[in-house]
Coordinates of all heavy atoms in Angstrom, one line a residue:
M1 N 28.5 19.6 -0.5 CA 28.2 18.2 -0.2 C 29.1 17.2 -1.1 O 29.3 17.5 -2.3 CB 26.7 18.0 -0.6 CG 26.2 16.6 -0.2 SD 24.5 16.6 -0.4 CE 23.8 17.2 1.2
D2 N 29.5 16.2 -0.5 CA 30.4 15.3 -1.2 C 29.8 14.3 -2.2 O 30.5 13.4 -2.9 CB 31.2 14.5 -0.2 CG 30.6 13.6 0.7 OD1 29.2 13.4 0.5 OD2 31.1 13.0 1.5
G3 N 28.4 14.3 -2.3 CA 27.8 13.3 -3.2 C 27.5 11.9 -2.5 O 26.8 11.0 -3.2
S4 N 28.1 11.6 -1.3 CA 27.9 10.3 -0.8 C 26.4 10.1 -0.2 O 25.9 9.1 -0.1 CB 28.9 10.1 0.3 OG 28.8 11.0 1.3
R5 N 25.8 11.1 0.0 CA 24.5 11.2 0.6 C 23.5 11.9 -0.4 O 23.8 12.8 -1.1 CB 24.3 12.0 1.8 CG 25.0 11.4 3.1 CD 24.7 12.1 4.4 NE 23.3 12.4 4.6 CZ 22.6 11.8 5.5 NH1 23.0 10.8 6.3 NH2 21.4 12.1 5.7
S6 N 22.2 11.3 -0.5 CA 21.4 11.9 -1.4 C 20.6 13.2 -0.8 O 20.7 13.2 0.5 CB 20.3 10.8 -1.7 OG 19.6 10.4 -0.6
A7 N 19.8 13.8 -1.5 CA 19.1 15.0 -1.0 C 18.2 14.5 0.1 O 17.6 13.4 0.0 CB 18.4 15.6 -2.1
P8 N 17.9 15.3 1.0 CA 17.0 15.0 2.1 C 15.5 14.8 1.4 O 15.2 15.4 0.4 CB 16.9 16.4 3.0 CG 18.0 17.2 2.6 CD 18.5 16.7 1.2
K9 N 14.8 13.9 2.1 CA 13.5 13.5 1.6 C 12.5 14.0 2.7 O 12.8 14.0 3.8 CB 13.4 12.0 1.5 CG 14.4 11.5 0.5 CD 14.2 11.9 -1.0 CE 15.2 11.3 -1.8 NZ 15.2 11.9 -3.3
N10 N 11.3 14.3 2.2 CA 10.2 14.9 3.0 C 9.4 13.7 3.5 O 8.8 12.9 2.8 CB 9.4 15.8 2.2 CG 8.2 16.3 3.0 OD1 7.8 15.8 3.9 ND2 7.7 17.5 2.6
P11 N 9.5 13.4 4.9 CA 8.8 12.3 5.4 C 7.2 12.2 5.1 O 6.7 11.3 4.9 CB 9.0 12.4 6.9 CG 10.3 13.1 7.0 CD 10.3 14.1 5.8
T12 N 6.6 13.5 5.2 CA 5.2 13.6 4.9 C 5.0 13.2 3.6 O 3.9 12.5 3.2 CB 4.8 15.0 5.1 OG1 5.0 15.3 6.5 CG2 3.2 15.2 4.9
L13 N 5.8 13.7 2.5 CA 5.5 13.4 1.1 C 5.6 11.9 0.9 O 4.9 11.1 0.1 CB 6.5 14.1 0.2 CG 6.3 13.8 -1.3 CD1 4.9 14.0 -1.8 CD2 7.3 14.7 -2.0
A14 N 6.7 11.2 1.5 CA 6.9 9.8 1.4 C 5.7 9.0 1.9 O 5.3 8.1 1.3 CB 8.2 9.4 2.2
G15 N 5.2 9.4 3.0 CA 4.0 8.7 3.6 C 2.9 8.9 2.8 O 2.1 7.9 2.5
V16 N 2.6 10.1 2.2 CA 1.3 10.3 1.3 C 1.6 9.5 0.0 O 0.6 8.8 -0.4 CB 1.2 11.7 0.9 CG1 0.3 12.0 -0.1 CG2 0.9 12.5 2.3
L17 N 2.7 9.4 -0.5 CA 3.0 8.6 -1.7 C 2.7 7.1 -1.5 O 2.1 6.4 -2.2 CB 4.4 8.8 -2.2 CG 4.7 10.2 -2.9 CD1 6.1 10.4 -3.1 CD2 3.8 10.4 -4.1
S18 N 3.2 6.6 -0.4 CA 2.8 5.2 0.1 C 1.5 5.1 0.3 O 0.9 3.8 0.1 CB 3.8 4.7 1.1 OG 5.0 4.3 0.6
G19 N 0.8 6.1 0.8 CA -0.7 5.9 1.1 C -1.5 5.8 -0.3 O -2.5 5.1 -0.4
L20 N -1.0 6.5 -1.3 CA -1.6 6.4 -2.6 C -1.4 5.1 -3.2 O -2.5 4.4 -3.7 CB -1.2 7.5 -3.5 CG -1.5 9.0 -3.1 CD1 -0.8 9.9 -4.1 CD2 -3.0 9.2 -3.2
V21 N -0.2 4.6 -3.3 CA 0.3 3.3 -3.9 C 1.3 2.8 -3.0 O 2.5 3.4 -2.9 CB 0.7 3.6 -5.4 CG1 1.2 2.2 -5.9 CG2 -0.3 4.1 -6.3
P22 N 1.0 1.6 -2.4 CA 2.1 1.1 -1.6 C 3.4 0.8 -2.3 O 3.4 0.3 -3.4 CB 1.4 -0.3 -1.1 CG -0.1 0.0 -1.1 CD -0.3 0.8 -2.3
G23 N 4.4 1.3 -1.7 CA 5.8 1.2 -2.5 C 6.2 2.4 -2.9 O 7.5 2.8 -3.2
L24 N 5.3 3.4 -3.4 CA 5.7 4.6 -4.0 C 6.6 5.5 -3.1 O 7.5 6.1 -3.6 CB 4.4 5.4 -4.4 CG 4.7 6.3 -5.5 CD1 5.3 5.8 -6.8 CD2 3.3 7.0 -5.9
G25 N 6.4 5.6 -1.8 CA 7.1 6.2 -1.0 C 8.6 5.7 -0.8 O 9.6 6.4 -0.8
Q26 N 8.6 4.4 -0.9 CA 10.0 3.8 -0.9 C 10.7 4.1 -2.2 O 12.0 4.3 -2.1 CB 9.9 2.2 -0.8 CG 9.5 1.8 0.6 CD 8.1 2.0 0.9 OE1 7.2 2.3 0.2 NE2 7.9 1.9 2.3
F27 N 10.0 4.2 -3.4 CA 10.7 4.6 -4.6 C 11.2 6.0 -4.4 O 12.3 6.3 -4.9 CB 9.7 4.5 -5.8 CG 9.3 3.1 -6.2 CD1 8.1 2.7 -6.5 CD2 10.4 1.9 -6.2 CE1 7.7 1.5 -7.0 CE2 10.0 0.8 -6.4 CZ 8.7 0.5 -6.9
Y28 N 10.4 6.9 -3.9 CA 10.7 8.3 -3.6 C 12.1 8.4 -2.8 O 13.0 9.2 -3.0 CB 9.6 8.9 -3.0 CG 9.8 10.3 -2.3 CD1 10.1 11.5 -3.2 CD2 10.0 10.6 -0.9 CE1 10.5 12.7 -2.7 CE2 10.3 11.8 -0.5 CZ 10.4 12.9 -1.2 OH 10.8 14.1 -0.8
C29 N 12.2 7.4 -1.9 CA 13.3 7.4 -1.0 C 14.5 6.6 -1.7 O 15.5 6.3 -1.0 CB 13.0 6.8 0.4 SG 12.0 7.9 1.3
R30 N 14.3 6.2 -2.8 CA 15.3 5.4 -3.6 C 15.6 4.1 -3.0 O 16.7 3.5 -3.0 CB 16.7 6.2 -3.8 CG 16.5 7.5 -4.6 CD 17.7 8.2 -4.8 NE 17.5 9.3 -5.7 CZ 17.5 9.3 -7.0 NH1 17.6 8.2 -7.7 NH2 17.3 10.4 -7.7
Q31 N 14.6 3.5 -2.4 CA 14.7 2.1 -1.9 C 13.9 1.1 -2.8 O 12.8 0.8 -2.6 CB 14.1 2.0 -0.5 CG 14.8 2.7 0.6 CD 14.3 2.6 1.9 OE1 13.2 2.3 2.2 NE2 15.3 2.6 3.0
W32 N 14.6 0.9 -4.0 CA 13.9 0.3 -5.2 C 13.3 -1.2 -4.8 O 12.3 -1.5 -5.2 CB 14.9 0.2 -6.3 CG 15.4 1.5 -6.7 CD1 16.9 1.8 -6.5 CD2 14.8 2.8 -7.0 NE1 17.0 3.2 -6.7 CE2 15.8 3.8 -7.2 CE3 13.6 3.1 -7.3 CZ2 15.6 5.1 -7.6 CZ3 13.2 4.4 -7.8 CH2 14.2 5.3 -7.8
G33 N 14.2 -1.9 -4.1 CA 13.7 -3.3 -3.9 C 12.7 -3.4 -2.9 O 11.7 -4.1 -3.0
K34 N 12.7 -2.5 -1.9 CA 11.6 -2.5 -0.8 C 10.3 -2.0 -1.5 O 9.3 -2.4 -1.3 CB 12.1 -1.5 0.3 CG 11.3 -1.9 1.7 CD 11.7 -0.9 2.7 CE 12.9 -1.3 3.3 NZ 13.2 -0.4 4.6
G35 N 10.5 -0.8 -2.4 CA 9.3 -0.4 -3.0 C 8.7 -1.5 -3.9 O 7.2 -1.5 -3.9
A36 N 9.5 -2.1 -4.6 CA 8.9 -3.2 -5.4 C 8.2 -4.4 -4.6 O 7.3 -4.8 -5.1 CB 10.1 -3.8 -6.4
G37 N 8.8 -4.6 -3.5 CA 8.3 -5.6 -2.6 C 6.8 -5.2 -2.1 O 5.9 -6.0 -2.3
F38 N 6.8 -4.0 -1.7 CA 5.5 -3.5 -1.2 C 4.4 -3.3 -2.4 O 3.2 -3.8 -2.2 CB 5.5 -2.0 -0.6 CG 6.0 -2.2 0.8 CD1 7.2 -1.6 1.2 CD2 5.3 -2.7 1.8 CE1 7.7 -1.6 2.5 CE2 5.7 -2.7 3.2 CZ 6.9 -2.2 3.5
L39 N 4.8 -3.0 -3.5 CA 4.0 -2.8 -4.7 C 3.5 -4.2 -5.1 O 2.3 -4.4 -5.3 CB 4.7 -2.1 -5.8 CG 3.8 -2.0 -7.1 CD1 2.5 -1.1 -6.8 CD2 4.6 -1.2 -8.1
I40 N 4.5 -5.2 -5.3 CA 4.1 -6.5 -5.7 C 3.1 -7.2 -4.7 O 2.2 -8.0 -5.0 CB 5.2 -7.3 -6.0 CG1 5.9 -6.7 -7.2 CG2 4.9 -8.8 -6.1 CD1 7.3 -7.3 -7.5
G41 N 3.6 -7.0 -3.3 CA 2.8 -7.6 -2.3 C 1.3 -7.1 -2.3 O 0.3 -7.8 -2.2
A42 N 1.2 -5.8 -2.5 CA -0.3 -5.2 -2.6 C -1.0 -5.7 -3.8 O -2.1 -6.0 -3.7 CB -0.1 -3.7 -2.6
L43 N -0.4 -5.8 -5.0 CA -0.9 -6.3 -6.2 C -1.4 -7.8 -6.1 O -2.4 -8.1 -6.6 CB -0.1 -6.0 -7.4 CG 0.1 -4.6 -7.7 CD1 1.2 -4.6 -8.9 CD2 -1.2 -3.9 -8.2
A44 N -0.4 -8.6 -5.5 CA -0.8 -10.0 -5.2 C -1.9 -10.1 -4.2 O -2.9 -11.0 -4.6 CB 0.4 -10.7 -4.6
I45 N -2.2 -9.3 -3.2 CA -3.3 -9.4 -2.3 C -4.5 -9.1 -3.1 O -5.5 -9.8 -3.0 CB -3.1 -8.5 -1.1 CG1 -2.0 -9.4 -0.2 CG2 -4.3 -8.4 -0.3 CD1 -1.6 -8.3 0.9
D46 N -4.4 -8.0 -3.8 CA -5.5 -7.6 -4.6 C -6.0 -8.5 -5.7 O -7.2 -8.7 -5.7 CB -5.3 -6.1 -5.3 CG -6.5 -5.5 -6.0 OD1 -7.5 -5.6 -5.5 OD2 -6.3 -5.0 -7.1
G47 N -5.0 -9.0 -6.4 CA -5.4 -10.1 -7.4 C -6.0 -11.4 -6.7 O -6.9 -11.9 -7.2
G48 N -5.2 -11.8 -5.7 CA -5.5 -13.1 -5.1 C -6.9 -13.1 -4.4 O -7.6 -14.1 -4.5
F49 N -7.3 -12.0 -3.7 CA -8.5 -11.9 -3.1 C -9.7 -11.1 -3.7 O -10.7 -11.0 -3.4 CB -8.3 -11.3 -1.7 CG -7.6 -12.1 -0.7 CD1 -6.2 -12.0 -0.6 CD2 -8.3 -13.0 0.1 CE1 -5.5 -12.9 0.4 CE2 -7.6 -13.8 1.0 CZ -6.3 -13.7 1.2
G50 N -9.2 -10.5 -5.0 CA -10.2 -9.9 -5.8 C -10.6 -8.6 -5.0 O -11.9 -8.3 -5.1
V51 N -9.8 -7.8 -4.3 CA -10.4 -6.7 -3.5 C -11.0 -5.7 -4.3 O -12.0 -5.2 -4.1 CB -9.2 -6.2 -2.5 CG1 -9.6 -5.0 -1.9 CG2 -8.7 -7.3 -1.7
S52 N -10.3 -5.2 -5.4 CA -10.8 -4.1 -6.2 C -12.1 -4.5 -7.0 O -13.1 -3.8 -6.9 CB -9.7 -3.7 -7.3 OG -8.6 -3.2 -6.7
S53 N -12.0 -5.7 -7.6 CA -13.3 -6.2 -8.4 C -14.4 -6.5 -7.3 O -15.4 -6.2 -7.7 CB -13.0 -7.4 -9.2 OG -12.5 -8.5 -8.4
G54 N -14.1 -6.9 -6.2 CA -15.1 -7.3 -5.2 C -15.7 -6.0 -4.6 O -17.0 -6.0 -4.4
M55 N -14.9 -5.0 -4.5 CA -15.5 -3.7 -4.1 C -16.4 -3.2 -5.1 O -17.5 -2.6 -4.8 CB -14.4 -2.6 -3.7 CG -13.6 -3.0 -2.4 SD -14.6 -2.7 -1.0 CE -13.4 -2.9 0.4
L56 N -16.0 -3.2 -6.3 CA -16.9 -2.8 -7.4 C -18.2 -3.4 -7.6 O -19.3 -3.0 -7.8 CB -16.1 -2.8 -8.7 CG -15.0 -1.8 -8.9 CD1 -14.3 -2.1 -10.3 CD2 -15.6 -0.4 -9.0
D57 N -18.1 -4.8 -7.4 CA -19.3 -5.7 -7.3 C -20.2 -5.3 -6.1 O -21.4 -5.2 -6.2 CB -18.9 -7.2 -7.4 CG -18.3 -7.6 -8.5 OD1 -18.4 -7.0 -9.6 OD2 -17.7 -8.7 -8.6
L58 N -19.6 -5.0 -5.0 CA -20.4 -4.7 -3.8 C -21.1 -3.5 -4.0 O -22.3 -3.2 -3.6 CB -19.4 -4.6 -2.6 CG -20.0 -4.6 -1.3 CD1 -20.9 -5.8 -0.9 CD2 -18.9 -4.4 -0.2
L59 N -20.4 -2.5 -4.7 CA -21.0 -1.2 -4.9 C -22.2 -1.4 -5.9 O -23.3 -0.7 -5.7 CB -20.2 -0.1 -5.4 CG -19.0 0.3 -4.3 CD1 -18.0 1.3 -4.9 CD2 -19.8 1.2 -3.3
K60 N -22.0 -2.1 -6.9 CA -23.0 -2.3 -7.9 C -24.3 -3.0 -7.3 O -25.4 -2.8 -7.7 CB -22.7 -3.2 -9.0 CG -21.5 -2.5 -10.0 CD -21.1 -3.4 -11.0 CE -19.9 -2.9 -11.8 NZ -19.3 -3.9 -12.7
S61 N -24.1 -4.0 -6.2 CA -25.1 -4.7 -5.8 C -25.6 -4.1 -4.4 O -26.2 -4.7 -3.6 CB -24.8 -6.2 -5.5 OG -23.8 -6.1 -4.5
F62 N -25.3 -2.7 -4.3 CA -25.8 -2.0 -3.0 C -27.2 -2.3 -2.6 O -28.1 -2.1 -3.4 CB -25.5 -0.6 -3.1 CG -25.6 0.1 -1.9 CD1 -24.5 0.0 -0.8 CD2 -26.7 1.0 -1.6 CE1 -24.7 0.7 0.3 CE2 -26.7 1.6 -0.3 CZ -25.7 1.4 0.7
G63 N -27.5 -2.7 -1.5 CA -28.8 -3.1 -1.0 C -29.2 -4.5 -1.2 O -30.2 -5.0 -0.6
S64 N -28.5 -5.3 -2.1 CA -28.9 -6.6 -2.4 C -28.1 -7.5 -1.3 O -26.9 -7.2 -1.1 CB -28.4 -7.1 -3.8 OG -29.2 -6.1 -4.7
P65 N -28.5 -8.7 -1.0 CA -27.8 -9.6 -0.2 C -26.5 -10.1 -0.8 O -26.5 -10.3 -2.1 CB -28.8 -10.7 0.2 CG -29.9 -10.7 -0.8 CD -29.8 -9.1 -1.3
V66 N -25.5 -10.1 -0.2 CA -24.2 -10.7 -0.7 C -23.8 -12.0 0.0 O -23.9 -12.1 1.3 CB -23.0 -9.6 -0.4 CG1 -21.7 -10.1 -0.9 CG2 -23.4 -8.4 -1.0
P67 N -23.5 -12.9 -0.7 CA -23.1 -14.4 -0.2 C -22.1 -14.1 0.9 O -21.1 -13.4 0.7 CB -22.7 -15.2 -1.3 CG -23.4 -14.6 -2.6 CD -23.4 -13.0 -2.3
S68 N -22.2 -14.8 1.9 CA -21.2 -14.7 3.1 C -19.8 -15.1 2.7 O -18.8 -14.4 3.2 CB -21.6 -15.4 4.3 OG -21.7 -16.8 4.0
E69 N -19.6 -16.2 1.8 CA -18.2 -16.5 1.5 C -17.6 -15.4 0.6 O -16.4 -15.1 0.7 CB -18.3 -17.9 0.8 CG -18.9 -17.8 -0.5 CD -20.4 -18.2 -0.5 OE1 -21.0 -18.3 0.5 OE2 -21.0 -18.1 -1.6
I70 N -18.3 -14.7 -0.1 CA -17.7 -13.6 -0.9 C -17.4 -12.4 0.0 O -16.3 -11.8 -0.1 CB -18.7 -13.2 -2.1 CG1 -18.9 -14.2 -3.0 CG2 -18.2 -11.8 -2.7 CD1 -19.8 -13.9 -4.1
M71 N -18.2 -12.1 0.9 CA -17.9 -11.1 1.9 C -16.8 -11.4 2.7 O -16.0 -10.4 3.1 CB -19.3 -10.9 2.8 CG -19.2 -9.7 3.7 SD -18.9 -8.2 2.8 CE -20.6 -7.7 2.3
W72 N -16.6 -12.6 3.3 CA -15.5 -12.9 4.1 C -14.2 -12.8 3.3 O -13.1 -12.3 3.8 CB -15.7 -14.4 4.6 CG -16.5 -14.3 5.9 CD1 -17.7 -14.9 6.0 CD2 -16.1 -13.7 7.1 NE1 -18.2 -14.6 7.4 CE2 -17.2 -14.0 8.0 CE3 -15.0 -13.0 7.7 CZ2 -17.2 -13.5 9.3 CZ3 -15.0 -12.6 8.9 CH2 -16.2 -12.8 9.8
K73 N -14.2 -13.2 2.0 CA -13.0 -13.2 1.2 C -12.7 -11.7 1.0 O -11.4 -11.3 1.0 CB -13.3 -13.9 -0.1 CG -12.1 -13.8 -1.0 CD -12.3 -14.6 -2.4 CE -11.1 -14.5 -3.3 NZ -11.4 -15.2 -4.5
L74 N -13.7 -10.8 0.7 CA -13.4 -9.5 0.5 C -13.0 -8.8 1.8 O -12.0 -7.9 1.7 CB -14.7 -8.8 0.0 CG -14.6 -7.2 -0.3 CD1 -13.7 -6.9 -1.5 CD2 -16.0 -6.8 -0.6
L75 N -13.5 -9.0 2.9 CA -13.0 -8.5 4.2 C -11.5 -8.8 4.5 O -10.8 -8.1 5.0 CB -14.0 -8.9 5.3 CG -15.4 -8.2 5.2 CD1 -16.3 -8.8 6.4 CD2 -15.3 -6.7 5.6
L76 N -11.3 -10.2 4.4 CA -10.0 -10.6 4.7 C -8.9 -9.9 3.6 O -7.9 -9.5 4.2 CB -9.8 -12.2 4.6 CG -8.5 -12.7 4.8 CD1 -8.0 -12.4 6.1 CD2 -8.5 -14.3 4.6
G77 N -9.2 -10.0 2.4 CA -8.3 -9.3 1.5 C -8.2 -7.9 1.7 O -7.0 -7.2 1.6
S78 N -9.3 -7.1 2.1 CA -9.2 -5.9 2.4 C -8.3 -5.5 3.7 O -7.5 -4.6 3.7 CB -10.6 -5.1 2.7 OG -11.4 -5.2 1.5
A79 N -8.5 -6.3 4.6 CA -7.8 -6.2 5.9 C -6.2 -6.4 5.7 O -5.4 -5.7 6.0 CB -8.1 -7.1 7.0
L80 N -5.9 -7.3 4.7 CA -4.5 -7.7 4.4 C -3.9 -6.5 3.5 O -2.8 -6.1 3.8 CB -4.4 -9.1 3.7 CG -4.7 -10.2 4.4 CD1 -4.6 -11.5 3.5 CD2 -3.5 -10.4 5.5
F81 N -4.7 -6.0 2.5 CA -4.4 -4.8 1.8 C -4.0 -3.7 2.7 O -2.9 -3.0 2.5 CB -5.3 -4.6 0.6 CG -4.8 -3.5 -0.3 CD1 -4.0 -3.9 -1.5 CD2 -5.0 -2.2 -0.1 CE1 -3.6 -3.1 -2.4 CE2 -4.4 -1.3 -1.0 CZ -3.7 -1.8 -2.2
L82 N -4.9 -3.4 3.6 CA -4.7 -2.3 4.5 C -3.4 -2.4 5.4 O -2.9 -1.5 5.6 CB -6.0 -2.2 5.4 CG -6.0 -0.9 6.3 CD1 -6.0 0.4 5.6 CD2 -7.3 -1.0 7.2
G83 N -3.2 -3.6 5.8 CA -2.0 -3.8 6.6 C -0.8 -3.6 5.8 O 0.1 -3.0 6.3
V84 N -0.8 -4.0 4.5 CA 0.5 -3.7 3.8 C 0.6 -2.2 3.5 O 1.7 -1.7 3.6 CB 0.4 -4.5 2.4 CG1 1.5 -4.1 1.5 CG2 0.5 -6.0 2.6
A85 N -0.5 -1.6 3.2 CA -0.5 -0.1 3.0 C 0.0 0.7 4.2 O 0.8 1.6 4.1 CB -1.9 0.3 2.6
I86 N -0.6 0.3 5.3 CA -0.1 1.0 6.6 C 1.4 0.7 6.9 O 2.2 1.6 7.1 CB -1.0 0.6 7.8 CG1 -2.3 1.2 7.6 CG2 -0.4 1.0 9.1 CD1 -3.4 0.6 8.6
W87 N 1.8 -0.5 6.6 CA 3.2 -0.9 6.9 C 4.1 0.0 5.8 O 5.1 0.5 6.2 CB 3.4 -2.4 6.6 CG 4.7 -2.9 6.8 CD1 5.9 -2.3 7.5 CD2 5.2 -4.3 6.4 NE1 7.0 -3.2 7.4 CE2 6.5 -4.4 6.8 CE3 4.6 -5.1 5.8 CZ2 7.3 -5.5 6.5 CZ3 5.4 -6.4 5.4 CH2 6.6 -6.5 5.9
S88 N 3.6 0.0 4.6 CA 4.4 0.8 3.7 C 4.5 2.3 3.9 O 5.6 2.9 3.8 CB 3.7 0.6 2.3 OG 4.2 1.5 1.2
I89 N 3.4 2.9 4.4 CA 3.4 4.3 4.8 C 4.4 4.5 5.9 O 5.3 5.4 5.9 CB 1.9 4.6 5.3 CG1 1.1 4.7 4.1 CG2 2.1 6.1 5.9 CD1 -0.4 4.9 4.5
L90 N 4.3 3.8 7.0 CA 5.3 3.9 8.2 C 6.7 3.6 7.8 O 7.6 4.4 8.3 CB 4.9 2.9 9.2 CG 3.5 3.2 9.9 CD1 3.2 2.0 10.9 CD2 3.4 4.5 10.6
D91 N 6.9 2.7 6.9 CA 8.3 2.5 6.5 C 8.8 3.6 5.6 O 10.1 3.9 5.8 CB 8.3 1.2 5.7 CG 9.8 0.8 5.2 OD1 10.6 0.4 6.1 OD2 10.0 1.0 4.1
A92 N 8.0 4.2 4.7 CA 8.4 5.2 3.9 C 8.8 6.5 4.8 O 9.7 7.2 4.5 CB 7.3 5.6 2.9
V93 N 8.0 6.7 5.8 CA 8.3 7.9 6.7 C 9.6 7.7 7.4 O 10.4 8.6 7.5 CB 7.0 8.1 7.7 CG1 7.4 9.1 8.7 CG2 5.8 8.5 6.9
R94 N 9.7 6.5 7.9 CA 11.0 6.2 8.6 C 12.1 6.2 7.6 O 13.3 6.9 8.0 CB 10.9 4.8 9.1 CG 10.9 4.8 10.8 CD 10.8 3.4 11.3 NE 9.6 2.8 10.6 CZ 9.2 1.7 10.6 NH1 9.9 0.8 11.1 NH2 8.1 1.3 10.1
A95 N 12.0 5.8 6.5 CA 13.2 5.8 5.4 C 13.4 7.3 5.2 O 14.6 7.7 4.9 CB 12.8 5.0 4.2
A96 N 12.5 8.2 4.9 CA 12.7 9.6 4.5 C 13.5 10.3 5.7 O 14.3 11.1 5.4 CB 11.5 10.2 4.3
K97 N 13.1 9.8 7.0 CA 13.7 10.5 8.0 C 15.3 10.1 8.1 O 16.2 10.9 8.6 CB 13.1 10.2 9.3 CG 11.8 11.0 9.5 CD 11.1 10.5 10.8 CE 9.7 11.3 10.9 NZ 9.0 10.9 12.2
R98 N 15.6 9.0 7.6 CA 16.9 8.4 7.8 C 17.8 8.9 6.6 O 19.0 8.9 6.8 CB 17.0 6.9 7.7 CG 16.5 6.2 8.9 CD 16.9 4.7 8.8 NE 16.2 4.2 7.7 CZ 15.2 3.2 7.8 NH1 14.9 2.7 9.0 NH2 14.5 2.7 6.6
V99 N 17.2 9.4 5.6 CA 18.2 9.8 4.4 C 18.8 11.0 4.6 O 18.2 12.0 5.3 CB 17.3 9.9 3.1 CG1 18.0 10.5 1.9 CG2 16.7 8.5 2.8

């Protein structure tokens, strides 16, 4: 091997890594900027919409009524986060196949 290409990457592993943490599969494929973008995007959505803390609050108040404005914010944030996560997974799998 002449060193111009990196070692082959496992697409399944790349997808699983991005499923665990958005951007991690891109880091595995040595796409540093793209990985940082997915990670920062996911963190911004989580922080801006309070997805993690909202889920914890929802679990703590299980069975109690939740105000609709809090529920809508949590649902929207969760949908956006899920969209970024799925995009990150698909992109990581594609990137691993190209390497």
